[in-house]
Amino acid sequence: IKQIVYNMYVDDICADASVPGAIPFEYNGQTWYFNGGMVNKFDSVIRSFNVYGMQVTMVLLNGGKGAYSQDLVHPMAQDGDCPGYALNVEDADAVAHLKAVGAFLAQRYSGHFDCGQVDNWIVGNEVNARTSWWYTNSTSLDFNVNIYVKAFRILYNEMKSQNANVRIYNSIDQEWNRKSNPGSFLAKEYLDQFNYYMVREGNIDWGLSYHPYNSPLYDPYAWNGPAVWVQDSISTPYITMQNIDILIDYMHQPKFLSPSGDVRSISLAEIGFTSSFGDDKQEASVAYGYLKAASLPDVDAFMLFRQTDDAHEMESHLALGLYDLNGNKKPAYYIYKDLGTANEATAKARASEIIGMDIDRMISENVMWTRGGNGVVN
C-alpha cells in the first residue's frame, strides 16, 4: 500500500482559548485556536502512515456539528441535516477563520515540524451531491458551484502559501449524466461549471478527485456493467472503471488543462467493489480496477474503500471491505496484496480465470463488455 486517504472534520480540530490544551495559531493579525487533543491524534496517525511509506491524502469535511466551527457553516446551509455542509464564504470573519484553518493544516503537515506529512488535500466529498455532502438549501447549480469555487480557492491559496508542493483536489461522484438523488447535480455539469469559474477567475493547478464506483453501487462486475448505465460515449449515464477513459479524454481538452498546459492530476480517491454476490467477483473487480488505473498515466491514485465491511452498508448489498465483519481476510485481500508486486502474475491469472479473458488483453485493447438489464443481480 503506497497511498491512503483519511477524513478530517473541521468540527473536530477547531477550538477556542477555553479548551484545555488548545493550540494557538497567529495568522493575519489574529489568534486562532485548534483542539490540541484531536490535532495530536492526527499527528500520530499521519506520522504512522509516513513511516510505512504511504503518501497521505486528507479529505477536509465540514460536519456542521462542532461548537467552535459553526461560523464555517454557510448561511444557506443552516437548516440542513446532512453529513456535510457548504463552507461559509459570505461572512468576512468566517473567511478569515477558513484561511487560518488552511494555513494551519498545510503548515503543520508540510513534513517540517515532526507532525507528519500530507501531500494531497481534497476539499469536501462528492460536492455535486448537494443534499448529502455539500449542503445548501439552494437548488441552483450556479450558486452552489460558485460558493464551492470560492471556498476551494481560499483553501488552495492558504495551503499553497505554506507548502508549495501540496496538491489540492475537488471531489465529484460517478453520476456523470444521470443522478440517482434528485438533490444532487450531475457530475459532468458540476465539473464544467467549476472549470468555467476557475478559468474565468484565474486558472490554478487544481486536481480532480473522482469516485468511479460501479453502477449501481452494488453491481459486482467492474468489467461487465449494465449497458443501460455504462456506455462508451460522452453521454454515458455513469463513468465507472470500465469507461474511465471517457473522463481522461475529457480532461485532455485544452480548456481543462493546468496553467502549465498539462493534464491535471486525477485521483481515484474512493472506489470499492462488493462481495455480496460472490467473493470471486470482488477479486476480479479489484484486479480489474487496479490494473485499469495503473494503465492510465494521468491517474495518480487508486484507493479502495473500504478496509473492513460495514454492517449498515451491507444491508444494501455493499460488502466493500477486504476484511469481513469478523476481521477475516477475504480472497480479494490476497489478490490486492499481490497487485503491483513480484507476485502480480498470480493475481492476473486468478482474475483472468474469473473473467474468462486475459485481463492484460482486456485492458490493453480497451475491451468493454456490457450486459443487458439494469444491473439487478439475482
Short mmCIF file of all heavy atoms in Angstrom, two decimals, residues 83-149:
data_model
loop_
_atom_site.label_atom_id
_atom_site.label_comp_id
_atom_site.label_asym_id
_atom_site.label_seq_id
_atom_site.Cartn_x
_atom_site.Cartn_y
_atom_site.Cartn_z
N PRO A 83 -24.52 14.87 6.34
CA PRO A 83 -23.14 14.58 6.77
C PRO A 83 -22.17 15.71 6.45
O PRO A 83 -21.12 15.82 7.08
CB PRO A 83 -22.78 13.32 5.97
CG PRO A 83 -24.06 12.76 5.49
CD PRO A 83 -24.98 13.92 5.32
N GLY A 84 -22.49 16.55 5.45
CA GLY A 84 -21.55 17.58 5.02
C GLY A 84 -22.25 18.87 4.64
O GLY A 84 -23.33 18.85 4.03
N TYR A 85 -21.61 19.99 4.96
CA TYR A 85 -22.19 21.31 4.72
C TYR A 85 -21.23 22.19 3.92
O TYR A 85 -20.01 22.09 4.05
CB TYR A 85 -22.49 22.00 6.06
CG TYR A 85 -23.57 21.31 6.86
CD1 TYR A 85 -23.28 20.16 7.61
CD2 TYR A 85 -24.87 21.78 6.84
CE1 TYR A 85 -24.27 19.52 8.34
CE2 TYR A 85 -25.88 21.13 7.57
CZ TYR A 85 -25.56 20.00 8.31
OH TYR A 85 -26.54 19.37 9.02
N ALA A 86 -21.82 23.09 3.15
CA ALA A 86 -21.03 24.07 2.41
C ALA A 86 -20.31 24.98 3.40
O ALA A 86 -20.85 25.35 4.45
CB ALA A 86 -21.92 24.89 1.49
N LEU A 87 -19.09 25.34 3.05
CA LEU A 87 -18.30 26.25 3.89
C LEU A 87 -18.77 27.69 3.69
O LEU A 87 -19.19 28.09 2.60
CB LEU A 87 -16.82 26.12 3.55
CG LEU A 87 -16.15 24.83 4.03
CD1 LEU A 87 -14.83 24.59 3.30
CD2 LEU A 87 -15.92 24.88 5.54
N ASN A 88 -18.67 28.46 4.74
CA ASN A 88 -19.13 29.85 4.74
C ASN A 88 -18.10 30.76 4.06
O ASN A 88 -17.02 30.98 4.61
CB ASN A 88 -19.38 30.30 6.17
CG ASN A 88 -20.02 31.68 6.25
OD1 ASN A 88 -20.25 32.33 5.23
ND2 ASN A 88 -20.30 32.11 7.46
N VAL A 89 -18.45 31.26 2.89
CA VAL A 89 -17.57 32.20 2.19
C VAL A 89 -18.23 33.58 2.08
O VAL A 89 -17.76 34.44 1.36
CB VAL A 89 -17.22 31.68 0.78
CG1 VAL A 89 -16.35 30.44 0.87
CG2 VAL A 89 -18.48 31.38 -0.04
N GLU A 90 -19.33 33.78 2.82
CA GLU A 90 -20.09 35.03 2.74
C GLU A 90 -19.67 36.03 3.82
O GLU A 90 -19.70 37.23 3.59
CB GLU A 90 -21.59 34.73 2.88
CG GLU A 90 -22.13 33.71 1.89
CD GLU A 90 -21.95 34.12 0.45
OE1 GLU A 90 -21.93 35.33 0.16
OE2 GLU A 90 -21.79 33.21 -0.40
N ASP A 91 -19.33 35.51 4.98
CA ASP A 91 -19.03 36.35 6.13
C ASP A 91 -17.52 36.56 6.26
O ASP A 91 -16.74 35.60 6.22
CB ASP A 91 -19.58 35.69 7.39
CG ASP A 91 -19.30 36.50 8.63
OD1 ASP A 91 -19.94 37.55 8.81
OD2 ASP A 91 -18.43 36.08 9.42
N ALA A 92 -17.08 37.80 6.42
CA ALA A 92 -15.65 38.12 6.45
C ALA A 92 -14.93 37.41 7.59
O ALA A 92 -13.80 36.93 7.41
CB ALA A 92 -15.46 39.63 6.56
N ASP A 93 -15.56 37.34 8.77
CA ASP A 93 -14.91 36.66 9.89
C ASP A 93 -14.77 35.16 9.62
O ASP A 93 -13.76 34.55 9.99
CB ASP A 93 -15.73 36.88 11.17
CG ASP A 93 -15.66 38.32 11.66
OD1 ASP A 93 -14.71 39.04 11.28
OD2 ASP A 93 -16.57 38.73 12.42
N ALA A 94 -15.79 34.57 8.99
CA ALA A 94 -15.71 33.15 8.65
C ALA A 94 -14.62 32.89 7.62
O ALA A 94 -13.90 31.89 7.70
CB ALA A 94 -17.06 32.66 8.14
N VAL A 95 -14.50 33.78 6.64
CA VAL A 95 -13.44 33.64 5.64
C VAL A 95 -12.07 33.72 6.30
O VAL A 95 -11.17 32.93 5.97
CB VAL A 95 -13.59 34.70 4.54
CG1 VAL A 95 -12.35 34.73 3.64
CG2 VAL A 95 -14.84 34.44 3.70
N ALA A 96 -11.91 34.64 7.25
CA ALA A 96 -10.64 34.74 7.97
C ALA A 96 -10.35 33.44 8.73
O ALA A 96 -9.20 32.97 8.77
CB ALA A 96 -10.68 35.92 8.93
N HIS A 97 -11.39 32.85 9.33
CA HIS A 97 -11.24 31.59 10.05
C HIS A 97 -10.86 30.47 9.08
O HIS A 97 -9.96 29.66 9.37
CB HIS A 97 -12.55 31.26 10.76
CG HIS A 97 -12.44 30.15 11.76
ND1 HIS A 97 -13.51 29.66 12.47
CD2 HIS A 97 -11.37 29.42 12.17
CE1 HIS A 97 -13.12 28.70 13.28
NE2 HIS A 97 -11.82 28.52 13.11
N LEU A 98 -11.53 30.42 7.93
CA LEU A 98 -11.24 29.39 6.95
C LEU A 98 -9.80 29.50 6.44
O LEU A 98 -9.10 28.50 6.26
CB LEU A 98 -12.22 29.49 5.78
CG LEU A 98 -12.12 28.42 4.69
CD1 LEU A 98 -12.32 27.02 5.28
CD2 LEU A 98 -13.13 28.68 3.59
N LYS A 99 -9.35 30.73 6.22
CA LYS A 99 -7.95 30.94 5.80
C LYS A 99 -6.98 30.41 6.86
O LYS A 99 -5.99 29.76 6.53
CB LYS A 99 -7.70 32.43 5.56
CG LYS A 99 -8.34 32.99 4.31
CD LYS A 99 -8.01 34.46 4.14
CE LYS A 99 -8.59 35.01 2.83
NZ LYS A 99 -8.26 36.45 2.64
N ALA A 100 -7.30 30.66 8.11
CA ALA A 100 -6.43 30.19 9.19
C ALA A 100 -6.40 28.67 9.25
O ALA A 100 -5.34 28.06 9.49
CB ALA A 100 -6.90 30.76 10.52
N VAL A 101 -7.57 28.03 9.04
CA VAL A 101 -7.63 26.57 9.01
C VAL A 101 -6.72 26.02 7.92
O VAL A 101 -5.91 25.10 8.15
CB VAL A 101 -9.08 26.08 8.81
CG1 VAL A 101 -9.10 24.58 8.50
CG2 VAL A 101 -9.93 26.38 10.03
N GLY A 102 -6.83 26.57 6.72
CA GLY A 102 -6.00 26.10 5.60
C GLY A 102 -4.51 26.29 5.87
O GLY A 102 -3.70 25.37 5.63
N ALA A 103 -4.15 27.46 6.37
CA ALA A 103 -2.74 27.74 6.63
C ALA A 103 -2.19 26.85 7.74
O ALA A 103 -1.08 26.31 7.64
CB ALA A 103 -2.57 29.21 6.99
N PHE A 104 -2.96 26.69 8.82
CA PHE A 104 -2.52 25.86 9.94
C PHE A 104 -2.26 24.42 9.50
O PHE A 104 -1.21 23.84 9.82
CB PHE A 104 -3.58 25.89 11.04
CG PHE A 104 -3.32 24.96 12.19
CD1 PHE A 104 -2.41 25.29 13.19
CD2 PHE A 104 -3.98 23.73 12.27
CE1 PHE A 104 -2.16 24.42 14.24
CE2 PHE A 104 -3.74 22.86 13.33
CZ PHE A 104 -2.83 23.20 14.32
N LEU A 105 -3.21 23.86 8.77
CA LEU A 105 -3.08 22.46 8.37
C LEU A 105 -1.93 22.25 7.40
O LEU A 105 -1.14 21.30 7.53
CB LEU A 105 -4.38 21.97 7.75
CG LEU A 105 -5.58 21.88 8.71
CD1 LEU A 105 -6.85 21.52 7.95
CD2 LEU A 105 -5.31 20.87 9.82
N ALA A 106 -1.81 23.11 6.40
CA ALA A 106 -0.75 22.93 5.41
C ALA A 106 0.63 23.14 6.03
O ALA A 106 1.59 22.44 5.67
CB ALA A 106 -0.96 23.91 4.26
N GLN A 107 0.72 24.07 6.95
CA GLN A 107 2.00 24.30 7.62
C GLN A 107 2.35 23.13 8.53
O GLN A 107 3.47 22.61 8.47
CB GLN A 107 1.93 25.59 8.45
CG GLN A 107 3.22 25.95 9.17
CD GLN A 107 3.04 27.15 10.07
OE1 GLN A 107 2.87 27.01 11.29
NE2 GLN A 107 3.06 28.35 9.50
N ARG A 108 1.42 22.71 9.34
CA ARG A 108 1.69 21.66 10.32
C ARG A 108 2.06 20.35 9.65
O ARG A 108 2.94 19.61 10.12
CB ARG A 108 0.49 21.46 11.24
CG ARG A 108 0.78 20.54 12.42
CD ARG A 108 -0.38 20.49 13.40
NE ARG A 108 -0.06 19.77 14.62
CZ ARG A 108 0.48 20.29 15.71
NH1 ARG A 108 0.77 21.58 15.74
NH2 ARG A 108 0.74 19.55 16.77
N TYR A 109 1.38 20.05 8.54
CA TYR A 109 1.60 18.76 7.88
C TYR A 109 2.41 18.89 6.59
O TYR A 109 2.23 18.14 5.64
CB TYR A 109 0.25 18.08 7.63
CG TYR A 109 -0.49 17.83 8.93
CD1 TYR A 109 -1.72 18.43 9.20
CD2 TYR A 109 0.08 17.03 9.92
CE1 TYR A 109 -2.37 18.22 10.40
CE2 TYR A 109 -0.56 16.82 11.14
CZ TYR A 109 -1.78 17.42 11.38
OH TYR A 109 -2.40 17.22 12.59
N SER A 110 3.34 19.84 6.61
CA SER A 110 4.24 20.03 5.47
C SER A 110 5.44 19.09 5.52
O SER A 110 6.22 19.02 4.57
CB SER A 110 4.74 21.47 5.44
OG SER A 110 5.48 21.76 6.63
N GLY A 111 5.60 18.37 6.64
CA GLY A 111 6.73 17.48 6.80
C GLY A 111 7.92 18.13 7.48
O GLY A 111 8.97 17.48 7.64
N HIS A 112 7.77 19.38 7.92
CA HIS A 112 8.90 20.11 8.51
C HIS A 112 8.80 20.28 10.02
O HIS A 112 9.68 20.89 10.63
CB HIS A 112 9.02 21.50 7.87
CG HIS A 112 9.26 21.47 6.39
ND1 HIS A 112 10.33 20.81 5.82
CD2 HIS A 112 8.56 22.00 5.36
CE1 HIS A 112 10.28 20.94 4.50
NE2 HIS A 112 9.22 21.65 4.20
N PHE A 113 7.74 19.76 10.65
CA PHE A 113 7.52 20.04 12.07
C PHE A 113 7.32 18.76 12.89
O PHE A 113 6.75 18.82 13.98
CB PHE A 113 6.30 20.96 12.24
CG PHE A 113 6.49 22.30 11.58
CD1 PHE A 113 6.01 22.53 10.30
CD2 PHE A 113 7.19 23.31 12.24
CE1 PHE A 113 6.19 23.76 9.68
CE2 PHE A 113 7.38 24.55 11.64
CZ PHE A 113 6.88 24.78 10.35
N ASP A 114 7.77 17.62 12.38
CA ASP A 114 7.65 16.34 13.07
C ASP A 114 6.20 16.02 13.43
O ASP A 114 5.92 15.37 14.44
CB ASP A 114 8.51 16.33 14.34
CG ASP A 114 8.71 14.92 14.89
OD1 ASP A 114 8.79 13.98 14.07
OD2 ASP A 114 8.76 14.75 16.13
N CYS A 115 5.29 16.49 12.60
CA CYS A 115 3.86 16.21 12.81
C CYS A 115 3.30 15.29 11.73
O CYS A 115 2.12 14.94 11.76
CB CYS A 115 3.06 17.51 12.81
SG CYS A 115 3.55 18.67 14.10
N GLY A 116 4.16 14.90 10.79
CA GLY A 116 3.71 14.11 9.67
C GLY A 116 3.54 14.96 8.43
O GLY A 116 3.57 16.20 8.49
N GLN A 117 3.39 14.29 7.30
CA GLN A 117 3.29 15.00 6.01
C GLN A 117 2.05 14.55 5.25
O GLN A 117 1.83 13.37 5.04
CB GLN A 117 4.54 14.73 5.17
CG GLN A 117 4.54 15.42 3.82
CD GLN A 117 5.89 15.31 3.12
OE1 GLN A 117 6.93 15.44 3.74
NE2 GLN A 117 5.86 15.04 1.82
N VAL A 118 1.24 15.54 4.86
CA VAL A 118 0.09 15.31 3.99
C VAL A 118 0.42 15.93 2.64
O VAL A 118 0.68 17.13 2.55
CB VAL A 118 -1.20 15.93 4.57
CG1 VAL A 118 -2.35 15.78 3.58
CG2 VAL A 118 -1.55 15.28 5.90
N ASP A 119 0.42 15.12 1.60
CA ASP A 119 0.80 15.60 0.26
C ASP A 119 -0.41 16.10 -0.54
O ASP A 119 -0.24 16.91 -1.45
CB ASP A 119 1.50 14.49 -0.53
CG ASP A 119 2.86 14.16 0.05
OD1 ASP A 119 3.64 15.10 0.27
OD2 ASP A 119 3.14 12.97 0.26
N ASN A 120 -1.58 15.56 -0.21
CA ASN A 120 -2.77 15.89 -1.00
C ASN A 120 -3.94 16.23 -0.08
O ASN A 120 -4.19 15.53 0.91
CB ASN A 120 -3.18 14.70 -1.88
CG ASN A 120 -2.01 14.13 -2.66
OD1 ASN A 120 -1.35 14.83 -3.41
ND2 ASN A 120 -1.74 12.84 -2.48
N TRP A 121 -4.66 17.29 -0.42
CA TRP A 121 -5.87 17.67 0.30
C TRP A 121 -7.04 17.68 -0.66
O TRP A 121 -6.93 18.21 -1.77
CB TRP A 121 -5.71 19.05 0.94
CG TRP A 121 -4.73 19.09 2.06
CD1 TRP A 121 -3.38 19.33 1.96
CD2 TRP A 121 -4.99 18.88 3.45
NE1 TRP A 121 -2.79 19.27 3.19
CE2 TRP A 121 -3.75 19.00 4.13
CE3 TRP A 121 -6.15 18.60 4.17
CZ2 TRP A 121 -3.66 18.85 5.51
CZ3 TRP A 121 -6.05 18.45 5.55
CH2 TRP A 121 -4.81 18.58 6.21
N ILE A 122 -8.14 17.09 -0.24
CA ILE A 122 -9.38 17.11 -1.03
C ILE A 122 -10.38 17.99 -0.29
O ILE A 122 -10.64 17.77 0.90
CB ILE A 122 -9.96 15.69 -1.22
CG1 ILE A 122 -8.96 14.81 -1.97
CG2 ILE A 122 -11.29 15.75 -1.97
CD1 ILE A 122 -9.39 13.35 -2.11
N VAL A 123 -10.91 18.98 -0.98
CA VAL A 123 -11.84 19.93 -0.36
C VAL A 123 -13.26 19.38 -0.51
O VAL A 123 -13.86 19.41 -1.58
CB VAL A 123 -11.72 21.32 -1.01
CG1 VAL A 123 -12.72 22.29 -0.37
CG2 VAL A 123 -10.30 21.85 -0.89
N GLY A 124 -13.79 18.85 0.59
CA GLY A 124 -15.13 18.27 0.57
C GLY A 124 -15.15 16.89 -0.05
O GLY A 124 -14.12 16.36 -0.49
N ASN A 125 -16.32 16.31 -0.09
CA ASN A 125 -16.51 14.96 -0.64
C ASN A 125 -17.73 14.96 -1.56
O ASN A 125 -18.81 15.39 -1.14
CB ASN A 125 -16.74 13.96 0.50
CG ASN A 125 -17.07 12.58 -0.02
OD1 ASN A 125 -16.25 11.92 -0.68
ND2 ASN A 125 -18.28 12.12 0.23
N GLU A 126 -17.53 14.52 -2.79
CA GLU A 126 -18.64 14.40 -3.75
C GLU A 126 -19.55 15.63 -3.68
O GLU A 126 -20.75 15.55 -3.42
CB GLU A 126 -19.43 13.11 -3.48
CG GLU A 126 -18.56 11.86 -3.66
CD GLU A 126 -19.33 10.56 -3.49
OE1 GLU A 126 -20.50 10.60 -3.07
OE2 GLU A 126 -18.75 9.49 -3.79
N VAL A 127 -18.94 16.78 -3.93
CA VAL A 127 -19.64 18.04 -3.67
C VAL A 127 -20.81 18.29 -4.62
O VAL A 127 -21.65 19.15 -4.35
CB VAL A 127 -18.65 19.24 -3.70
CG1 VAL A 127 -17.67 19.12 -2.55
CG2 VAL A 127 -17.92 19.32 -5.03
N ASN A 128 -20.88 17.54 -5.71
CA ASN A 128 -22.06 17.66 -6.58
C ASN A 128 -23.30 17.03 -5.93
O ASN A 128 -24.43 17.30 -6.34
CB ASN A 128 -21.81 17.04 -7.95
CG ASN A 128 -21.51 15.55 -7.88
OD1 ASN A 128 -20.52 15.15 -7.27
ND2 ASN A 128 -22.33 14.73 -8.51
N ALA A 129 -23.09 16.18 -4.90
CA ALA A 129 -24.21 15.58 -4.17
C ALA A 129 -24.65 16.56 -3.09
O ALA A 129 -24.34 16.41 -1.90
CB ALA A 129 -23.79 14.24 -3.56
N ARG A 130 -25.40 17.57 -3.51
CA ARG A 130 -25.71 18.72 -2.66
C ARG A 130 -26.36 18.34 -1.34
O ARG A 130 -25.97 18.82 -0.28
CB ARG A 130 -26.63 19.70 -3.42
CG ARG A 130 -27.09 20.90 -2.58
CD ARG A 130 -28.06 21.77 -3.37
NE ARG A 130 -29.29 21.07 -3.73
CZ ARG A 130 -30.36 20.98 -2.94
NH1 ARG A 130 -30.35 21.53 -1.74
NH2 ARG A 130 -31.44 20.34 -3.34
N THR A 131 -27.37 17.50 -1.37
CA THR A 131 -28.12 17.21 -0.15
C THR A 131 -27.43 16.19 0.74
O THR A 131 -27.94 15.85 1.82
CB THR A 131 -29.54 16.72 -0.48
OG1 THR A 131 -29.46 15.62 -1.38
CG2 THR A 131 -30.36 17.84 -1.11
N SER A 132 -26.27 15.71 0.31
CA SER A 132 -25.52 14.75 1.11
C SER A 132 -24.24 15.34 1.67
O SER A 132 -23.97 15.24 2.87
CB SER A 132 -25.19 13.51 0.29
OG SER A 132 -26.36 12.85 -0.14
N TRP A 133 -23.43 15.96 0.80
CA TRP A 133 -22.05 16.26 1.20
C TRP A 133 -21.62 17.72 1.09
O TRP A 133 -20.56 18.08 1.59
CB TRP A 133 -21.09 15.39 0.40
CG TRP A 133 -21.14 13.96 0.80
CD1 TRP A 133 -21.67 12.92 0.10
CD2 TRP A 133 -20.65 13.40 2.02
NE1 TRP A 133 -21.54 11.75 0.80
CE2 TRP A 133 -20.90 12.01 1.99
CE3 TRP A 133 -20.00 13.94 3.14
CZ2 TRP A 133 -20.55 11.17 3.02
CZ3 TRP A 133 -19.65 13.09 4.17
CH2 TRP A 133 -19.93 11.72 4.10
N TRP A 134 -22.39 18.54 0.40
CA TRP A 134 -22.02 19.97 0.32
C TRP A 134 -23.34 20.74 0.37
O TRP A 134 -23.72 21.43 -0.55
CB TRP A 134 -21.23 20.24 -0.95
CG TRP A 134 -20.69 21.64 -1.05
CD1 TRP A 134 -21.20 22.67 -1.78
CD2 TRP A 134 -19.54 22.18 -0.39
NE1 TRP A 134 -20.46 23.81 -1.62
CE2 TRP A 134 -19.42 23.54 -0.77
CE3 TRP A 134 -18.58 21.65 0.49
CZ2 TRP A 134 -18.40 24.37 -0.32
CZ3 TRP A 134 -17.57 22.47 0.94
CH2 TRP A 134 -17.47 23.80 0.54
N TYR A 135 -24.03 20.59 1.49
CA TYR A 135 -25.40 21.04 1.58
C TYR A 135 -25.55 22.56 1.57
O TYR A 135 -24.85 23.28 2.30
CB TYR A 135 -26.07 20.50 2.83
CG TYR A 135 -27.48 21.03 3.00
CD1 TYR A 135 -28.52 20.53 2.21
CD2 TYR A 135 -27.76 22.07 3.89
CE1 TYR A 135 -29.80 21.03 2.32
CE2 TYR A 135 -29.06 22.57 4.01
CZ TYR A 135 -30.06 22.05 3.21
OH TYR A 135 -31.33 22.55 3.31
N THR A 136 -26.47 23.04 0.74
CA THR A 136 -27.13 24.34 0.89
C THR A 136 -28.59 24.11 0.56
O THR A 136 -28.95 23.09 -0.04
CB THR A 136 -26.58 25.44 -0.05
OG1 THR A 136 -27.07 25.22 -1.38
CG2 THR A 136 -25.05 25.49 -0.04
N ASN A 137 -29.44 25.07 0.91
CA ASN A 137 -30.86 24.91 0.59
C ASN A 137 -31.20 25.50 -0.77
O ASN A 137 -32.38 25.60 -1.13
CB ASN A 137 -31.75 25.50 1.69
CG ASN A 137 -31.48 26.98 1.92
OD1 ASN A 137 -30.99 27.67 1.04
ND2 ASN A 137 -31.80 27.46 3.11
N SER A 138 -30.18 25.86 -1.55
CA SER A 138 -30.41 26.36 -2.90
C SER A 138 -30.27 25.23 -3.91
O SER A 138 -29.33 24.44 -3.84
CB SER A 138 -29.40 27.46 -3.23
OG SER A 138 -29.46 27.79 -4.61
N THR A 139 -31.20 25.18 -4.87
CA THR A 139 -31.13 24.17 -5.92
C THR A 139 -30.42 24.69 -7.17
O THR A 139 -30.39 24.01 -8.19
CB THR A 139 -32.53 23.69 -6.30
OG1 THR A 139 -33.30 24.82 -6.75
CG2 THR A 139 -33.23 23.04 -5.12
N SER A 140 -29.84 25.88 -7.08
CA SER A 140 -29.16 26.49 -8.23
C SER A 140 -27.76 25.91 -8.39
O SER A 140 -26.93 26.01 -7.48
CB SER A 140 -29.07 28.00 -8.04
OG SER A 140 -28.11 28.57 -8.93
N LEU A 141 -27.50 25.32 -9.54
CA LEU A 141 -26.16 24.81 -9.83
C LEU A 141 -25.14 25.94 -9.75
O LEU A 141 -24.08 25.80 -9.12
CB LEU A 141 -26.13 24.17 -11.22
CG LEU A 141 -24.74 23.78 -11.74
CD1 LEU A 141 -24.17 22.62 -10.93
CD2 LEU A 141 -24.80 23.42 -13.23
N ASP A 142 -25.45 27.06 -10.37
CA ASP A 142 -24.50 28.17 -10.41
C ASP A 142 -24.16 28.66 -9.01
O ASP A 142 -22.99 28.89 -8.68
CB ASP A 142 -25.07 29.31 -11.25
CG ASP A 142 -24.05 30.43 -11.45
OD1 ASP A 142 -23.11 30.24 -12.24
OD2 ASP A 142 -24.20 31.49 -10.82
N PHE A 143 -25.16 28.79 -8.16
CA PHE A 143 -24.93 29.26 -6.80
C PHE A 143 -24.03 28.29 -6.04
O PHE A 143 -23.06 28.70 -5.39
CB PHE A 143 -26.25 29.44 -6.05
CG PHE A 143 -26.08 29.78 -4.60
CD1 PHE A 143 -25.85 31.08 -4.21
CD2 PHE A 143 -26.15 28.79 -3.62
CE1 PHE A 143 -25.69 31.41 -2.87
CE2 PHE A 143 -25.98 29.10 -2.28
CZ PHE A 143 -25.75 30.41 -1.90
N ASN A 144 -24.35 27.01 -6.10
CA ASN A 144 -23.60 26.01 -5.34
C ASN A 144 -22.17 25.88 -5.83
O ASN A 144 -21.24 25.78 -5.02
CB ASN A 144 -24.33 24.67 -5.38
CG ASN A 144 -25.52 24.63 -4.44
OD1 ASN A 144 -25.40 24.32 -3.26
ND2 ASN A 144 -26.70 24.96 -4.96
N VAL A 145 -21.97 25.87 -7.12
CA VAL A 145 -20.61 25.78 -7.65
C VAL A 145 -19.83 27.04 -7.29
O VAL A 145 -18.65 26.98 -6.93
CB VAL A 145 -20.62 25.56 -9.17
CG1 VAL A 145 -19.20 25.60 -9.72
CG2 VAL A 145 -21.28 24.23 -9.52
N ASN A 146 -20.49 28.18 -7.38
CA ASN A 146 -19.81 29.45 -7.11
C ASN A 146 -19.26 29.51 -5.70
O ASN A 146 -18.10 29.91 -5.49
CB ASN A 146 -20.79 30.61 -7.35
CG ASN A 146 -20.13 31.95 -7.23
OD1 ASN A 146 -19.99 32.49 -6.14
ND2 ASN A 146 -19.71 32.51 -8.36
N ILE A 147 -20.04 29.09 -4.70
CA ILE A 147 -19.53 29.16 -3.33
C ILE A 147 -18.49 28.06 -3.09
O ILE A 147 -17.56 28.25 -2.29
CB ILE A 147 -20.67 29.10 -2.29
CG1 ILE A 147 -21.43 27.78 -2.37
CG2 ILE A 147 -21.59 30.29 -2.44
CD1 ILE A 147 -22.42 27.61 -1.22
N TYR A 148 -18.62 26.93 -3.79
CA TYR A 148 -17.58 25.89 -3.65
C TYR A 148 -16.26 26.39 -4.24
O TYR A 148 -15.19 26.20 -3.64
CB TYR A 148 -18.00 24.59 -4.33
CG TYR A 148 -16.93 23.52 -4.24
CD1 TYR A 148 -16.61 22.94 -3.02
CD2 TYR A 148 -16.22 23.12 -5.37
CE1 TYR A 148 -15.62 21.98 -2.92
CE2 TYR A 148 -15.22 22.15 -5.29
CZ TYR A 148 -14.93 21.59 -4.06
OH TYR A 148 -13.93 20.64 -3.97
N VAL A 149 -16.33 27.03 -5.39
CA VAL A 149 -15.12 27.57 -6.01
C VAL A 149 -14.45 28.58 -5.08
O VAL A 149 -13.22 28.59 -4.93
CB VAL A 149 -15.47 28.21 -7.37
CG1 VAL A 149 -14.32 29.11 -7.87
CG2 VAL A 149 -15.77 27.14 -8.41
#
